[in-house]
Amino acid sequence: MVVVMAPEATDEQIAHVTDRVEGVGGQAFVSRGVVRTIIGLVGDIESFHGLNLRSMAGVADVHRISDPFKLVSRQHHAERSTVWVGPAGHQVPIGPDTFTFIAGPCAVETAQQTLEAAEMAKAAGATLLRGGAFKPRTSPYAFQGLGVRGLEILSDVRATTGLPIVTEVVDARDVAVVAEHADMLQIGTRNAANFGLLQAVGDAGKPVLLKRGMNATIEEWLMAAEYVAQRGNLDVVLCERGIRTFEPSTRNTLDISAVPVVQGISHLPIIVDPSHAGGRRDLVVPLSRAAIAVGADGVIVDIHPDPETALCDGPQAILGADLRALAQAVRQLPPILGRVDSSAHARTSVTAVSVGV
Ligand code: PEP
Ligand code: MN
């Protein structure tokens, strides 16, 4: 941390700052320039926060040097992490060496629809199944998801297809039941700053998929991840799903540059959701290609066997030729960039069902 003193700061004010810093066990290194004096602080940053340095007489500014997110930062954990998702003996990696393709319906509607979507996902090469049982809808009149019945359908479909499940939890009261069925707990954009929920999923013992808040800066998003990590759960995968901008042509604006920016400062894996970013079926394949090219660790995509009847997000669900084009991109492009399909690296045991193509 660096304290910048005002040009008119007196020697007494400078000494007062260094005394206070030393009083909490820190060290203060004073550098006197012609116009200004700066003081470099070394020690426990949290104890410096308690000093309220910015409010002291003669202090013009205070700058942090280290990231405010500690556990998820690359500053103390240079190597990028891989998060393993799925039951013991059959885990799928999400991380820097692989490219992980996650697909499934926006919402679980019926057992038949979920199974059909899962089979479409598997045939296209997906190694994880997505599907919402608890849906965070903007309108209270819209389909809210099947709740626990939806989780049961997902469990059955996992048993049939072998695909581990990613599903959203919207309320801290449901974390236990969702964690009982899911292999990965999703926190949606609307709950990305629900700190109690973040702590609750941090305690649940399952990997977490943390979507970016639609109006969150990258630092705010990483601070949200820090809430999960602080509970002892470092198995967090970040998901860029578009942010709110002034542009109405797309549902959100995919912040593609967030991928390399995050990879530079955090060791957590990061994937892209082209479906919720664009909100349009015709954009899913191009945005997925962009995600692969920019170095994302995977994509999560909405698919549906019959988008016209979908109870949620039908306009962005793909099938048929679009899904085939996506499958081809996911198979062919990541190897050019030195990545392998996540199914090639899945931790399988002899008895486990094999997944992927
Ligand atoms: C979803 O993935 O189903 C979803 C609701 O996404 P988001 O939170 O990004 O809107
Ligand atoms: Mn959706």
Side-chain angles (χ1 to χ4, degrees), residues 73-324:
S73 164
R74 277 188 91 163
Q75 281 182 336
H76 305 292
H77 189 300
E79 203 177 316
R80 297 197 54 232
S81 298
T82 295
V83 170
W84 293 86
V85 182
H90 180 186
Q91 292 181 300
V92 174
I94 306 178
D97 304 323
T98 47
F99 187 82
T100 307
F101 177 22
I102 307 172
C106 179
V108 173
E109 297 163 12
T110 64
Q112 181 61 22
Q113 166 256 7
T114 307
L115 181 61
E116 278 179 40
E119 278 166 352
M120 286 163 63
K122 190 173 169 178
T127 50
L128 295 170
L129 175 67
R130 64 147 289 146
F134 291 91
K135 294 302 302 175
R137 303 305 298 276
T138 303
S139 164
Y141 305 111
F143 175 58
Q144 304 286 308
L146 299 181
V148 175
R149 174 73 195 121
L151 296 175
E152 289 163 359
I153 291 174
L154 286 168
S155 291
D156 290 346
V157 169
R158 173 180 46 208
T160 312
T161 62
L163 295 177
I165 291 156
V166 184
T167 194
E168 182 163 353
V169 54
V170 300
D171 190 313
R173 289 168 296 190
D174 301 325
V175 169
V177 68
V178 177
E180 218 176 276
H181 292 84
D183 299 292
M184 183 176 221
L185 305 179
Q186 178 174 322
I187 296 292
T189 193
R190 293 162 187 79
N191 267 315
N194 182 340
F195 304 118
L197 181 61
L198 292 167
Q199 288 171 327
V201 296
D203 289 332
K206 287 278 166 82
V208 174
L209 181 65
L210 176 59
K211 296 254 187 139
R212 179 180 184 174
M214 63 181 85
N215 52 14
T217 63
I218 288 173
E219 182 172 311
E220 286 163 344
W221 183 17
L222 293 174
M223 292 306 280
E226 190 79 8
Y227 266 93
V228 180
Q230 208 210 12
R231 308 301 281 200
N233 184 358
L234 273 169
D235 288 334
V236 180
V237 173
L238 302 165
C239 179
E240 163 60 42
R241 48 78 70 204
I243 50 175
R244 277 265 165 96
T245 69
F246 49 80
E247 177 52 60
S249 314
T250 48
R251 185 173 175 181
N252 294 283
T253 298
L254 178 62
D255 182 8
I256 201 77
S257 57
V259 175
V261 169
V262 163
Q263 289 173 340
I265 55 181
S266 171
H267 59 87
L268 299 179
I270 175 168
I271 67 170
V272 165
D273 179 342
S275 309
H276 290 84
R280 284 169 37 177
R281 182 172 307 133
D282 61 321
L283 299 183
V284 172
V285 174
L287 295 183
S288 298
R289 291 188 185 124
I292 298 169
V294 85
D297 302 313
V299 284
I300 179 167
V301 174
D302 281 11
I303 62 174
H304 198 287
D306 183 15
E308 271 186 32
T309 63
L311 296 178
C312 186
D313 286 350
Q316 69 196 32
I318 60 165
L319 74 170
D322 288 327
L323 185 53
R324 284 193 292 280

